[in-house]
């Protein structure tokens, strides 16, 4: 790792903005000064400039009971009104909100006026199901316009959505439905992925009825969009087709104001223990920072830009940079249902050409996989409309950064490498196009209004040229307000480590270079980052040991050229199982088992069957050593192992 860091820190290329870009840029250098002079005043200005408040707030931040923040506390707003109605009222109803492209090539253009009507109808339907302020609604949908409309309809009612990624299994869905106590599930029969229909409704049926999970107590209705045309089972009285009720519902619906701290959504993310954490976000502060970052970081000109963020709405990036940020800003955006390489490997570039995408936001894992298939594919398309490129989810290596700029950005588009988390709600660290001279591989500087530092274990600043832990030193508007149902875990996970200083601990290692620019170095806890998705080692391990063959399992994230990290599992098989079964093919079986239990994204790249696992005397598995094996390195210091011979045995078994 350290030689890689030194190599990274040698990076001296810099790309200052052109005069032309700087002259017309949304962000101006004085943003930094304004924010530094009066942080609270700065955020108050942003909230007033970017949003409509039914009741203006008089107080920006209440930090009297840390770590529980309240922003714009006595103000009232309606999040959906801010994303929809006000644009229509301002005369922009005919502007296209969504340029939707289905994987098979079908398309829909939906204006702000049309989307507003649709959301009002869905809100009326949800109200008829008894959904009101504070109720939870689970959303399990493909990337179709109904996904965005559903989120906004829930928000319009002051209710709380919990979007579950469509790639997650019935079991993951069930645990999220139960944890949140969802009253309604919105799903589809299926959606298109990799050229065929991937069913969703069966997973909902299984989640709600499977005996293994016990009786489901809270879900009263399942609203089902017809998309895949695949056959589905039907539970009378519970299941309702979207096309039967939404078009028939009234398009009159008044957006009631709700307090700024009214919960907006819960989004589950992996933690260091097996149980996913329901990260809770609220309304006013979240929407302020989503809109502010979307406008300034992407240099958004809503009248002329065509914006495209490739993230699924099941991830935080889809929440903040598909649904809330862009729509609050009145942007026109592309929404694409399918996979990047279906039906041909140039599909994304074809979409950029077709719609004239000018701002493009994606993840390093995608960029690296396109690098592998070669520049000839994107070069077949006209990408000249692109003027800003964004990256998110994991560190982008300088080589991928340069390829992105040259091949996708015509050698001139500024790249914004944006660091943030589900917990931060919106972008925290990023260059500003037109202001910052960019540097390949570095996320660079905290945004105006955001305070970040790199500290050592005792919370002392490390200073330029040194590495340590990334902390956020001041509260920010879109910060998480807690973990659903578990305030203690919220304090423990994020605030205990630097309790004395009152810093938020992000769980990421980072370094400051000589210029004071930030270089993110990955997670320091047992959370892996696979293609920009956070997976917990503990969650995959517990899935592996739930298989009848497995006695013990250890999972590590090994670096992988394409996906950043890949899941590698080391598994001990039960003697009793081996006595009765042929172990041939077991590794393959275990791989698919994890895929079924958690979702395809968690399926291990490799499963190694071993005789023992490296443990300390206190019984802690030393994953660091397994990572050495998985990455084909010489095994590091084994002196704290209870049995020092065990690593040579494992290495031999893996070969
Ligand atoms: C938005 C999102 C958060 C974790 C985060 C960090 C990694 C995200 C990054 C990055 C380096 C970037 N991460 N952006 N690392 N450079 N630009 O990805 O949220 O899914 O919660 O993951 O992703 O490790 O802590 P989430």
């Amino acid at each position: 790792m350290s030689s890689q860091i030194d190599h990274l820190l040698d990076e001296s290329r810099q790309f200052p903005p052109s005069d032309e870009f700087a002259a017309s840029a949304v962000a101006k250098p004085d943003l930094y000064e304004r924010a530094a002079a009066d942080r609270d005043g700065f955020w108050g200005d942003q909230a007033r400039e970017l949003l409509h408040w039914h009741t203006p707030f008089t107080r920006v931040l209440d930090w009297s009971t840390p770590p529980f923040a309240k922003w714009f506390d006595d103000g009232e707003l309606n999040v959906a009104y801010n994303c929809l109605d006000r644009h229509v009222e301002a005369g922009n109803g005919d502007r296209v909100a969504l340029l939707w492209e289905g994987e098979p090539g079908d398309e829909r253009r939906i204006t702000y006026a049309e989307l507003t009507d649709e959301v009002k109808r869905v809100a009326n339907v949800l109200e008829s199901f008894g959904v009101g302020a504070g109720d939870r609604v689970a959303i399990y949908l493909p990337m179709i316009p109904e996904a965005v409309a559903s989120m906004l309809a829930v928000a319009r009612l002051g209710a709380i959505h919990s979007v579950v990624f469509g790639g997650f299994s019935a079991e993951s869905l069930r645990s999220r439905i139960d944890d949140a106590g969802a009253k309604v599930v919105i799903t589809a029969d299926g959606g298109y992925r990799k050229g065929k229909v991937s069913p969703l409704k069966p997973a909902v049926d299984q989640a709600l009825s499977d005996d293994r999970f016990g009786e489901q107590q809270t879900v009263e209705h399942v609203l089902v969009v017809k998309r895949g045309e695949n056959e589905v089972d039907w539970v009378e009285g519970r299941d309702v087709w979207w096309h039967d009720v939404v078009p028939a519902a009234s398009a009159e619906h008044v957006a009631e104001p709700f307090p700024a701290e009214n919960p907006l959504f819960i989004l589950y993310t992996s933690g260091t223990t097996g149980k996913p954490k329901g990260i809770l976000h609220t309304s006013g502060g979240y929407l302020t920072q989503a809109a502010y970052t979307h406008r300034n970081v992407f240099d958004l000109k809503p009248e002329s830009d065509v914006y495209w963020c490739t993230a699924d709405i099941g991830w935080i990036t889809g929440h903040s940079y598909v649904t809330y940020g862009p729509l609050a800003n009145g942007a026109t955006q592309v929404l694409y249902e399918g996979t990047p390489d279906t039906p041909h490997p140039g599909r994304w570039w074809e979409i950029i050409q077709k719609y004239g995408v000018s701002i493009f936001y994606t993840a390093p894992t995608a960029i690296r996989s396109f690098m592998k298939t070669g520049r000839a594919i994107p070069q077949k398309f006209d990408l000249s409309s692109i003027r800003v490129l964004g990256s998110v989810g994991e560190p982008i290596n300088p080589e991928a950064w340069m390829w992105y700029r040259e091949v996708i950005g015509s050698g001139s588009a500024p790249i914004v490498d944006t660091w943030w988390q589900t917990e931060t709600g919106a972008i925290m660290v990023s260059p500003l196009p037109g202001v910052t001279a960019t540097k390949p591989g570095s996320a660079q500087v905290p945004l105006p209004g955001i305070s970040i530092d790199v500290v050592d274990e005792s919370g002392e600043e490390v200073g330029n040229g040194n590495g340590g832990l990334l902390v956020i030193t001041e509260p920010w508007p879109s910060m998480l307000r807690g973990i659903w149902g578990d305030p203690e875990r919220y304090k423990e996970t994020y605030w205990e480590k630097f309790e004395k200083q009152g810093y938020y601990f992000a769980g990421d290692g980072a370094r400051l270079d000589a210029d004071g620019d930030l270089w993110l170095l990955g997670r320091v806890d047992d959370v892996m980052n696979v293609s920009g998705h956070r997976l917990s080692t503990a969650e995959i391990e517990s899935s592996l040991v739930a298989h009848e063959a497995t006695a013990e399992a250890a999972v590590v994230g090994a670096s992988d050229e394409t996906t950043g990290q890949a899941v590698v599992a080391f598994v001990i098989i039960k003697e009793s199982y081996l006595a009765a079964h042929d172990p041939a093919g077991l590794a393959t079986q275990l791989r698919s088992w994890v895929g079924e239990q958690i979702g395809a994204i968690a399926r291990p790249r490799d499963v190694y069957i071993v005789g023992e696992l490296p443990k300390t005397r206190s019984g802690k598995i030393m994953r660091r050593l397994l990572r050495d094996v998985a990455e084909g390195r010489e095994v590091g210091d084994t002196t704290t192992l209870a049995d020092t011979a065990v690593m040579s045995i494992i290495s031999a078994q893996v070969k």
Side-chain angles (χ1 to χ4, degrees):
M1 190 78 164
S2 74
S3 65
Q4 185 201 347
I5 295 165
D6 291 345
H7 174 72
L8 284 175
L9 291 178
D10 280 344
E11 182 61 60
S12 56
R13 287 171 289 196
Q14 288 223 5
F15 299 92
S18 70
D19 293 344
E20 197 193 336
F21 197 110
S24 63
V26 170
K28 301 287 181 227
D30 75 332
L31 272 187
Y32 291 102
E33 287 148 38
R34 276 167 63 196
D38 173 11
R39 275 174 38 86
D40 284 10
F42 171 82
W43 283 119
D45 288 348
Q46 298 304 328
R48 278 183 290 262
E49 280 165 31
L50 294 165
L51 305 184
H52 172 83
W53 294 84
H54 279 77
T55 312
F57 54 88
T58 62
R59 200 172 41 227
V60 171
L61 169 65
D62 175 356
W63 190 232
S64 56
T65 50
F68 297 94
K70 292 187 192 134
W71 284 87
F72 317 118
D73 191 21
D74 60 350
E76 289 187 312
L77 78 171
N78 184 292
V79 169
Y81 176 86
N82 271 283
C83 294
L84 300 165
D85 313 47
R86 67 165 167 147
H87 303 314
V88 180
E89 287 166 17
N92 293 320
D94 290 340
R95 186 184 295 167
V96 174
L98 301 175
L99 292 161
W100 180 74
E101 173 97 9
E103 196 186 74
D106 44 342
E107 48 185 85
R108 283 161 70 186
R109 277 169 197 253
I110 302 175
T111 65
Y112 272 92
E114 289 164 344
L115 188 60
T116 305
D117 275 2
E118 175 89 344
V119 168
K120 289 178 177 177
R121 291 181 209 276
V122 182
N124 281 321
V125 168
L126 293 175
E127 251 173 0
S128 77
F129 291 165
V131 175
D135 286 333
R136 277 80 61 204
V137 175
I139 297 176
Y140 187 66
L141 282 170
M143 286 293 281
I144 53 179
E146 288 81 356
V148 173
S150 296
M151 292 167 82
L152 291 167
V154 173
R156 190 174 188 90
L157 299 174
I160 307 170
H161 58 68
S162 163
V163 182
V164 180
F165 174 53
F168 279 154
S169 66
E171 194 168 347
S172 302
L173 174 62
R174 171 63 183 263
S175 73
R176 285 157 174 78
I177 289 174
D178 282 353
D179 186 71
K183 206 170 189 175
V184 170
V185 180
I186 308 179
T187 189
D189 48 0
Y192 285 87
R193 273 193 70 75
K194 299 189 178 150
K196 51 180 205 280
V197 172
S198 165
L200 287 166
K201 172 85 168 34
V204 176
D205 292 336
Q206 198 195 337
L208 297 183
S209 67
D210 196 322
D211 295 343
R212 282 180 306 159
F213 312 138
E215 197 194 337
Q216 212 293 321
Q217 308 271 2
T218 60
V219 173
E220 293 166 14
H221 287 289
V222 178
L223 183 59
V224 190
V225 180
K226 195 176 213 122
R227 165 64 186 151
E229 309 271 338
N230 47 314
E231 227 171 278
V232 291
D233 292 338
W234 207 250
V235 177
E236 285 306 329
R238 185 196 72 181
D239 299 349
V240 180
W241 281 114
W242 177 289
H243 60 254
D244 282 343
V245 291
V246 173
S250 159
E252 296 293 320
H253 186 276
V254 178
E256 301 287 339
F258 294 99
E261 284 296 342
N262 196 52
L264 178 60
F265 66 85
I266 306 167
L267 184 59
Y268 288 84
T269 189
S270 300
T272 43
T273 66
K275 190 171 175 265
K277 302 176 286 202
I279 302 300
L280 177 67
H281 283 286
T282 60
S283 305
Y286 171 79
L287 198 62
T288 297
Q289 198 174 327
Y292 158 78
T293 50
H294 182 256
R295 184 170 295 249
N296 288 286
V297 172
F298 298 109
D299 190 48
L300 179 79
K301 318 265 169 46
E303 311 75 32
S304 53
D305 275 315
V306 176
Y307 164 86
W308 183 18
C309 165
T310 63
D312 191 280
I313 51 140
W315 307 107
I316 190 65
T317 308
H319 282 58
S320 305
Y321 300 106
V322 175
T323 301
Y324 292 110
L327 296 178
N329 288 335
T332 295
Q333 69 175 318
V334 170
L335 190 71
Y336 171 56
E337 177 186 35
T339 35
D341 51 0
T342 307
H344 61 81
R347 188 60 196 279
W348 274 12
W349 321 124
E350 180 185 66
I351 291 174
I352 291 178
Q353 172 180 288
K354 173 171 171 186
Y355 295 104
V357 170
S358 55
I359 306 171
F360 182 62
Y361 191 30
T362 194
T365 182
I367 300 164
R368 286 192 295 265
S369 74
F370 291 124
M371 280 173 78
K372 262 211 248 170
T373 48
R375 62 177 69 201
I377 296 168
Q379 278 170 346
K380 276 191 238 145
F381 299 89
D382 177 6
L383 306 181
S384 60
S385 54
I386 289 197
R387 56 176 206 90
V388 178
L389 291 171
S391 173
V392 61
E394 50 180 323
I396 175 166
N397 46 307
E399 196 194 354
W401 195 103
M402 289 302 299
W403 189 92
Y404 196 28
R405 182 180 160 97
E406 277 165 21
V407 181
I408 310 302
S410 313
S412 62
I415 296 179
V416 288
D417 175 5
T418 62
W419 178 89
W420 59 295
Q421 310 178 294
T422 305
E423 293 86 342
T424 69
I427 298 170
M428 302 292 280
V429 177
S430 167
L432 286 178
V435 178
T436 319
T438 56
K439 199 187 260 187
S442 168
Q444 297 194 293
V445 282
L447 290 178
I450 299 298
S451 305
I452 301 263
D453 209 344
V454 180
V455 299
D456 63 19
E457 284 286 335
S458 63
E460 294 295 319
E461 259 178 49
V462 296
N464 290 359
N466 298 304
L469 303 170
L470 184 81
V471 292
I472 307 171
T473 59
E474 299 286 346
W476 64 103
S478 63
M479 69 194 286
L480 75 167
R481 299 302 196 266
I483 295 175
W484 183 255
D486 202 346
E488 272 317 303
R489 193 174 175 201
Y490 167 62
K491 288 193 222 165
E492 253 167 52
T493 312
Y494 304 107
W495 301 93
E496 213 155 69
K497 191 166 177 75
F498 298 112
E499 198 174 4
K500 207 172 75 208
Q501 296 83 356
Y503 293 165
Y504 167 92
F505 172 51
D508 280 357
R511 246 176 112 92
L512 289 170
D513 68 14
D515 302 328
D517 282 329
L518 269 169
W519 294 78
L520 274 305
L521 304 174
R523 305 286 307 176
V524 295
D525 50 23
D526 285 332
V527 175
M528 294 168 288
N529 188 325
V530 179
S531 300
H533 298 151
R534 273 161 72 176
L535 298 170
S536 113
T537 54
E539 195 180 1
I540 300 177
E541 284 164 6
S542 68
S543 146
L544 282 165
V545 294
H547 189 278
E548 54 162 349
T550 313
E552 266 193 274
V555 164
V556 298
S559 58
D560 183 280
E561 233 181 80
T562 308
T563 58
Q565 282 189 307
V567 180
V568 176
F570 296 82
V571 177
I572 304 179
I573 304 303
K574 285 181 193 150
E575 306 235 338
S576 57
Y577 183 90
L578 288 175
H581 300 83
D582 180 357
L586 188 55
T588 315
Q589 265 182 53
L590 288 170
R591 287 184 69 238
S592 5
W593 167 262
V594 174
E596 285 155 26
Q597 291 240 308
I598 305 177
I601 183 83
R603 197 188 299 133
R605 183 188 70 188
D606 308 304
V607 173
Y608 295 118
I609 310 246
V610 295
E612 272 178 272
L613 292 171
K615 289 187 184 158
T616 62
R617 264 154 282 199
S618 65
K620 269 205 170 64
I621 296 174
M622 292 188 69
R623 293 193 182 73
R624 163 173 71 76
L625 300 176
L626 292 173
R627 209 171 298 128
D628 289 341
V629 174
E631 294 180 344
R633 254 194 315 273
E634 197 171 325
V635 173
D637 182 10
T638 58
T639 49
T640 55
L641 280 181
D643 172 4
T644 49
V646 78
M647 281 319 296
S648 42
I649 300 171
I650 293 175
S651 301
Q653 282 166 333
V654 164
K655 278 179 200 123

